């Protein structure tokens, strides 16, 4: 009898586990967002989280990690929502996940962004107010950098210049490393993949304060491109075949989408409808990031400020009763 009771208990536990597993595909209590390591995704997470928590009553969490790891988490279902999926930067993993159906693109968050190698504008044009003369007036393109390695010296190897790239954990860092080799710039420059976004900014800020030359990777929208007067170096027009072969062109136009795991539309149909309407722009995002930096606020505080500034926009994404609940939370 005891053995039979134990067998029945095991069977019951297995049945309950199976039922629980089935329910998890059709419902959800906690919605998990990807934090891939940059400020704009954190602000968009916070905007969406406030609307979802206050308006729809779900709990939310943020899962930090590198771009490849968090996107893999989305494809597997360990993460539910990716507020900034940079489609071309993610490349094949993104398109393969969408094609096979493990990831669904709900909307385009923004598509007027840019990324590439930047220099302070005073390097090319000078800055009369700061008494800075043009250092490289003929610098226009990425390929032109081969003429000026001495202007961007690597402090650890003065015989070569330094190009500050993206953090090694970011997918774009590999693209940049290949681009540097394709253009032969590795003969004149060392490519540095810093440990974090903040390391890039610290490097740029130090040079900018002194009026020194600097060249490195950045992108918009960011508070950095809003605060500092930077010029993105021109590159060969985008050509997919060439890009796939050796990264010898500018970055592809990069749709930044709101993407979710395949089960999410069934798990949270109401939130899915909201996210399908989620659309901002480079300017709107940069505005939030500039406020964040200038006022030393965190992502949640910045999101609350931004939502008060742009009430007409975000309230158009949700039904009126949901908007009223969220507005009440902002008072």
């Amino acid at each position: 009898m005891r053995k039979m009771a134990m067998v029945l208990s095991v069977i019951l536990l297995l049945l309950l586990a199976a039922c629980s597993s089935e329910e998890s595909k059709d419902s959800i209590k906690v919605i998990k967002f990807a934090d891939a390591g940059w400020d704009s995704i954190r602000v968009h997470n916070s905007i969406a989280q406030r609307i979802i928590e206050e308006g729809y009553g779900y709990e939310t969490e943020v899962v930090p990690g590198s771009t490849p790891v968090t996107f893999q988490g989305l494809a597997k279902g360990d993460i539910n929502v990716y507020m900034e999926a940079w489609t071309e930067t993610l490349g094949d993993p993104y398109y393969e996940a969408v094609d096979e159906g493990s990831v669904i693109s709900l909307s385009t968050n923004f598509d007027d962004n840019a990324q590439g190698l930047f220099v302070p504008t005073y390097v090319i044009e000078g800055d009369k107010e700061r008494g800075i003369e043009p250092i490289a007036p003929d610098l226009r393109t990425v390929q032109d950098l081969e003429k000026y390695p001495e202007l961007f010296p690597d402090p650890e190897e003065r015989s070569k210049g330094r190009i500050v790239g993206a953090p090694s954990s970011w997918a774009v860092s590999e693209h940049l490393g290949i681009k540097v080799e394709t253009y032969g710039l590795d003969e004149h420059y060392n490519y540095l993949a810093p440990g974090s976004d903040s390391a890039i900014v610290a490097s740029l800020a130090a040079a900018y304060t002194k009026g020194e030359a600097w060249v490195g990777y950045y992108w918009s929208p960011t508070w950095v491109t809003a605060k500092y007067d930077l010029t993105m170096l021109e590159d060969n027009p985008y050509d997919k075949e060439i890009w796939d072969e050796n990264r010898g062109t500018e970055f592809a136009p990069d749709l930044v989408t709101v993407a979710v795991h395949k089960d999410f539309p069934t798990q949270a149909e109401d939130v899915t409808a909201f996210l399908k309407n989620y659309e901002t722009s480079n300017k709107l995002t940069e505005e939030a990031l500039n406020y964040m930096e200038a006022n030393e606020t965190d992502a949640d505080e910045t999101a609350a400020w931004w939502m008060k500034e742009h009430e007409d926009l975000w309230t158009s994404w949700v039904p009126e009763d949901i908007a009223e609940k969220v507005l009440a939370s902002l008072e």
Side-chain angles (χ1 to χ4, degrees), residues 152 154 156-165 180 185-193:
F152 310 96
D154 184 337
E156 297 179 5
E157 188 178 355
R158 306 292 295 189
S159 63
K160 298 185 78 171
R162 170 181 283 183
I163 294 173
V164 180
V180 167
L185 295 175
D186 55 324
E187 297 179 16
H188 311 283
Y189 290 84
N190 291 322
Y191 174 75
L192 174 67

Side-chain angles (χ1 to χ4, degrees), residues 4 8 71 74 132 140 165 172 177 184 212 215 241 245 262 278 298 321 328:
M4 183 176 293
L8 290 173
F71 190 76
L74 180 72
I132 300 174
R140 290 288 182 273
V172 68
E212 296 176 347
V215 60
E241 185 175 344
E245 180 182 352
K262 65 181 179 64
Y278 197 106
D298 63 20
D321 61 323

